[in-house]
Amino acid sequence: MTGSNTISDENQLANFMQRIEAGEKIEADDWMPEDYRQTLIKLISMHGMSEIMGALPEKEWVPKAPSLYRKLGIMAKVQDEMGHGQLLLRVTEDLLEPYGKNRGDLMQDLFNGDLKFHNVFHMETKSWADAGIIGWLVDGAAIITQTNMLKASYGPYARALQRICAEEVFHAQHGESIIMALTEGTDQQKAMIQESLNRWWEALLMFFGPASKETTGSSKQDLTIRYKIRTKTNEEFRQLFFDKYIPRILSLGLTIPDPTMHFDKENQMWSYKQPDWNEFKKIIKNQGPRSEARLNLRRQSYEYNSWVRDALSHSVR
Amino acid sequence: MSVSQNDLTLENREAITSLLFQLADDDFMYAYRGSEWLGLAPHIEADIASSSISQDSMGHAAMFYTLLEDLGAGNANDLAHSRKAIDRRNCILTERVNGEGYYMETPHYDWAYAVVRSYLYTQAKKVKIDSLCGSSYKPLAEAAVKVRIELYYHRLHWEIWFKQLMSSTDIAKNKMNAALKLVMNDFGDVFSYGNQKLAIEMTKLIGTEEEMKANWTASIEPVFTTLQLELPKIPDSPEKNGRMGEHTKDLDEALTTLSEVYLLDPVAIW
């Protein structure tokens, strides 16, 4: 029996690889190799939870937004992010089905540190300019990585990304609009945006992850490329980010907080000072500047409101 | 007869301005309290829906502040961000905190209070907006028609929450009844028009306070009857009347947050 199962699994794997090589989409009920499912669960649940946890740093600036128009803009943006989180957790829930796990389990995984959220959302916010930097450059970075997966071999994720990326473009424009107002504003506003860029620079470099698994000891990038979930490496993403944003940052009169940054014509690559990857390792262990505070906020509100979820699951008379 | 901005007498202008401040300040504060819930609602779907409602409500506040700007009351952003608590005309209910704690730290917000406040406030807003659709001041009547479209969904949403939690577990019922008591304690100025009452009613900008109260009671009666709950009574004389500039310290704290960045430089373009 074991022997025939193995042969059958091998056939199924060959068939699966043939399908994704041919550009076919894999659906939730299709056969898939275990490491493909596991990779997707890890990737999509982390993406979903990052959208939800990512709402928290921006939410800090929702009431403080300095005009009615800005208040409306940032409220809409944060709501979109929560919507992305919901969409992605639904995709993950389908993948979790064979294990009998659900959204409640994902929340517990987040709280106990088994499910990570993106390193950029562990950072502190200090000024209104941070709302601009998050919208313009963090969402800009997200657009680069997520558009690369629009043709991902897993159909439900690729379709969710179509909508998410479309909305992220609006978010980047929202952020850019805040940045433009500040860079064209008073000396105080200009100083505010430069200080914010300086503070977020390392986090933006870390956004794409280390160039190879030697930095942190593990990386899923080889597997995600083999299974056609994505096509580019972390470093390729980072270089694309530089290509797009370095000229824009400079054109606004801002200074890149890295004097060594330059385009190396010989290698056709941007040369830059590496961020502190030891700090990155701490952040991904939930030891970043705001990791515990944001997890606590989410955990406490979740536990404090558990009576509501109990009430909803109780039959209505 | 409906009037436009150019036909206004001085007396009419004062009455319209007073009413518009009440409407604008109510929605501004209500939207703010809703936005404090962002990322903290009991489940993600509730978060998305309630933040959408907060966003709509902030949009309604912006419309009312813009009508004030059109009347020469000042710049809409300035009206929203710079006025002191004593100049605000929102009802007490909209300024009350969501629960213990500051939104930036680890607050203990009460979802039962959020549901009851939102349901009864939205129902009151609906009664007013329905009346405002026939307002003698044409720009306000036109704005009310737009608000009414979105308000339909807000009311429906909160009514479903109200019914579900009021007819569920004992814990839920207890929390909802406690919240109902708190909300009704603050309901005394919701339908007050403050010191411009006579002018507001005489010029038919909106129905009378008594009509609004009666319509509100009639509108919630079927739900309360179905749930076998006693119909709540609007307090006759409020402890504080927000329409007269009387407020709690909750408003002072909220305004500090809402204006923090704006007041760094009120003449700058943000």
Side-chain angles (χ1 to χ4, degrees):
Chain A
M1 280 300 285
T2 311
S4 62
N5 270 350
T6 307
I7 291 164
S8 165
D9 282 356
E10 278 173 8
N11 284 343
Q12 284 183 308
L13 181 61
N15 181 43
F16 172 86
M17 291 307 294
Q18 212 170 16
R19 285 181 66 195
I20 61 171
E21 291 295 338
E24 271 186 54
K25 294 292 177 213
I26 305 302
E27 298 299 333
D29 293 334
D30 293 350
W31 184 91
M32 61 185 81
E34 187 62 16
D35 57 354
Y36 181 76
R37 185 184 293 277
Q38 291 289 348
T39 301
L40 286 172
I41 289 171
K42 187 169 181 189
L43 173 74
I44 304 169
S45 64
M46 185 187 159
H47 184 179
M49 231 26 120
S50 299
E51 299 274 7
I52 290 163
M53 295 301 289
L56 296 180
E58 281 195 294
K59 169 251 177 79
E60 293 170 1
W61 294 95
V62 167
K64 297 179 182 183
S67 72
L68 290 161
Y69 178 71
R70 294 287 182 221
K71 279 183 165 67
L72 283 168
I74 195 166
M75 282 169 111
K77 179 186 186 298
V78 180
Q79 188 209 351
D80 280 355
E81 306 293 13
M82 291 299 291
H84 299 170
Q86 192 259 359
L87 204 60
L88 294 164
L89 291 192
R90 287 292 303 114
V91 173
T92 313
E93 282 174 277
D94 285 343
L95 286 162
L96 285 171
E97 215 249 327
Y99 308 123
K101 287 180 78 177
N102 59 28
R103 198 189 297 183
D105 298 310
L106 288 176
M107 294 307 293
Q108 292 308 325
D109 287 349
L110 172 75
F111 298 147
N112 64 29
D114 289 341
L115 202 171
K116 308 295 183 191
F117 62 103
H118 199 286
N119 57 76
V120 80
F121 299 123
H122 295 242
M123 309 310 287
E124 192 174 7
T125 70
K126 288 185 176 173
S127 77
W128 167 246
D130 292 2
I133 290 284
I134 293 172
W136 186 39
L137 296 181
V138 173
D139 284 37
I143 290 169
I144 287 173
T145 56
Q146 289 166 18
T147 49
N148 184 256
M149 295 187 287
L150 284 172
K151 293 182 179 169
S153 56
Y154 188 59
Y157 188 42
R159 290 191 289 274
L161 285 174
Q162 295 284 347
R163 176 170 159 185
I164 291 169
C165 288
E167 291 185 346
E168 294 293 356
V169 172
F170 283 112
H171 299 173
Q173 288 169 352
H174 152 88
E176 195 171 358
S177 165
I178 294 172
I179 300 293
M180 298 279 277
L182 294 176
T183 52
E184 289 169 6
T186 64
D187 288 347
Q188 184 190 23
Q189 288 174 309
K190 286 175 187 165
M192 187 188 278
I193 188 61
Q194 182 66 57
E195 185 277 330
S196 175
L197 179 65
N198 295 352
R199 209 162 16 83
W200 282 87
W201 185 249
E202 280 221 335
L204 287 162
L205 299 188
M206 289 177 192
F207 183 95
F208 302 96
S212 71
K213 67 181 176 187
E214 276 68 44
T215 310
T216 54
S218 71
S219 169
K220 290 270 185 197
Q221 60 179 323
D222 298 343
L223 208 59
T224 51
I225 291 171
R226 174 149 56 90
Y227 279 139
K228 293 198 177 296
I229 297 166
R230 66 166 167 172
T231 58
K232 288 191 165 57
T233 65
N234 293 349
E235 191 54 37
E236 285 170 328
F237 285 139
R238 199 166 12 248
Q239 291 290 326
L240 283 173
F241 177 79
F242 292 146
D243 286 344
K244 184 172 176 182
Y245 286 104
I246 296 292
R248 293 183 191 198
I249 292 169
L250 294 175
S251 75
L252 291 172
L254 294 165
T255 305
I256 306 287
D258 173 4
T260 70
M261 166 70 84
H262 67 279
F263 189 72
D264 181 340
K265 284 185 181 163
E266 196 179 322
N267 293 317
Q268 287 295 297
M269 281 179 81
W270 291 91
S271 173
Y272 59 97
K273 180 173 176 283
Q274 289 293 317
D276 181 352
W277 291 110
N278 285 325
E279 181 64 20
F280 176 83
K281 280 191 238 179
K282 280 202 270 179
I283 292 170
I284 60 174
K285 287 180 192 157
N286 287 341
Q287 292 165 10
R290 295 289 291 167
S291 314
E292 264 313 303
R294 297 219 169 97
L295 274 172
N296 264 340
L297 177 58
R298 187 79 210 165
R299 186 188 294 118
Q300 285 197 20
S301 66
Y302 188 77
E303 286 166 3
Y304 196 69
N305 288 310
S306 62
W307 69 269
V308 182
R309 292 184 298 278
D310 291 344
L312 294 181
S313 57
H314 184 267
S315 60
V316 177
R317 71 184 177 195
Chain B
M1 192 185 81
S2 69
V3 291
S4 66
Q5 195 188 320
N6 296 329
D7 314 319
L8 294 175
T9 64
L10 187 61
E11 193 186 31
N12 276 356
R13 190 178 291 267
E14 273 184 29
I16 294 166
T17 302
S18 176
L19 180 61
L20 281 171
F21 272 125
Q22 294 169 23
L23 296 166
D25 291 345
D26 266 359
D27 274 343
F28 187 61
M29 287 311 301
Y30 174 70
Y32 164 61
R33 290 301 179 201
S35 77
E36 286 187 306
W37 270 102
L38 270 170
L40 306 178
H43 58 66
I44 297 161
E45 284 78 2
D47 214 300
I48 298 164
S50 68
S51 65
S52 173
I53 291 171
S54 302
Q55 189 193 328
D56 285 350
S57 304
M58 188 58 80
H60 301 165
M63 282 168 72
F64 296 132
Y65 283 127
T66 304
L67 288 179
L68 282 160
E69 184 175 313
D70 296 343
L71 282 169
N75 170 280
N77 281 316
D78 219 29
L79 296 175
H81 294 91
S82 289
R83 287 157 54 238
K84 293 188 169 60
I86 198 171
D87 299 321
R88 302 271 166 169
R89 293 294 177 264
N90 59 278
C91 60
I92 301 294
L93 182 66
T94 56
E95 72 193 38
R96 286 288 190 205
V97 293
N98 289 307
E100 287 175 22
Y102 185 46
Y103 85 99
M104 293 278 279
E105 287 144 20
T106 44
H108 278 179
Y109 289 163
D110 179 0
W111 188 247
Y113 185 75
V115 169
V116 177
R117 166 160 62 183
S118 293
Y119 172 53
L120 295 182
Y121 170 76
T122 306
Q123 197 71 56
K125 183 172 165 183
K126 183 190 182 309
V127 163
K128 288 186 195 178
I129 290 293
D130 283 348
S131 178
L132 287 169
C133 287
S135 175
S136 59
Y137 184 51
K138 204 174 161 197
L140 180 53
E142 287 168 355
V145 170
K146 289 183 195 162
V147 171
R148 184 157 67 172
I149 297 166
E150 292 177 341
L151 204 55
Y152 172 82
Y153 298 100
H154 301 182
R155 201 203 61 76
L156 205 61
H157 177 80
W158 293 118
E159 185 181 289
I160 290 169
W161 267 107
F162 186 80
K163 283 180 179 170
Q164 282 190 328
L165 293 183
M166 273 293 194
S167 53
S168 184
T169 58
D170 287 344
I171 292 175
K173 283 184 210 167
N174 289 341
K175 283 180 180 286
M176 289 291 284
N177 279 305
L180 182 59
K181 201 172 163 195
L182 281 178
V183 167
M184 288 315 300
N185 280 346
D186 285 334
F187 228 77
D189 63 348
V190 170
F191 294 108
S192 165
Y193 297 141
N195 56 17
Q196 286 288 317
K197 170 181 158 60
L198 277 180
I200 287 170
E201 292 179 349
M202 289 277 286
T203 49
K204 297 196 183 303
L205 291 175
I206 187 171
T208 65
E209 287 180 1
E210 293 313 313
E211 284 167 351
M212 295 300 102
K213 285 180 188 175
N215 290 350
W216 177 81
T217 305
S219 72
I220 60 167
E221 192 174 7
V223 170
F224 276 73
T225 304
T226 308
L227 294 166
Q228 298 174 353
L229 290 171
E230 192 181 333
L231 254 185
K233 191 176 174 307
I234 300 169
D236 289 329
S237 48
E239 256 180 59
K240 285 182 188 290
N241 188 334
R243 312 303 186 196
M244 310 286 270
E246 299 164 4
H247 295 284
T248 66
K249 69 172 177 42
D250 292 353
L251 182 62
D252 290 316
E253 288 165 8
L255 293 178
T256 303
T257 298
L258 282 158
S259 309
E260 184 184 303
V261 182
Y262 182 79
L263 292 181
L264 288 177
D265 189 345
V267 294
I269 294 167
W270 292 95

